[in-house]
């Protein structure tokens, strides 16, 4: 999963969808960590809102690496 995300991020950097300075491996690791954390919290608390929050955080993280329009 992490390798696939890193490859996708690498492609996005190449095409200009993500900022040139974005490290694809670091971004992939952060995305996996956010989703895994949301899953663990949702399971531990029996509250799916933790996963929803993790999904929002993941999207926000990606937005910070995008080029300005």
């Amino acid at each position: 999963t992490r390798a696939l995300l890193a490859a996708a991020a690498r492609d996005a950097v190449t095409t200009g969808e993500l900022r040139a300075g974005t490290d694809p491996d670091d971004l992939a690791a952060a995305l996996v960590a956010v989703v895994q954390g949301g899953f663990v919290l949702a399971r531990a608390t029996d509250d799916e809102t933790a996963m929803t929050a993790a999904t929002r955080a993941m999207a926000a993280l990606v937005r910070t690496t995008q080029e300005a329009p």
Side-chain angles (χ1 to χ4, degrees):
T1 303
R2 194 163 133 186
L4 291 173
L5 287 170
R10 200 166 283 107
D11 289 345
V13 169
T14 300
T15 62
E17 295 174 79
L18 295 180
R19 289 190 181 131
T22 302
D23 184 307
D25 295 311
D26 286 351
L27 178 59
L31 293 174
V32 169
V34 168
V35 171
Q36 286 179 336
F39 179 76
V40 168
L41 287 172
R43 293 278 311 247
T45 61
D46 197 27
D47 182 1
E48 65 187 49
T49 59
M51 194 62 202
T52 303
T55 303
R56 282 194 309 268
M58 183 176 66
L61 178 60
V62 171
R63 280 192 299 276
T64 66
T65 64
Q66 290 178 318
E67 287 293 343

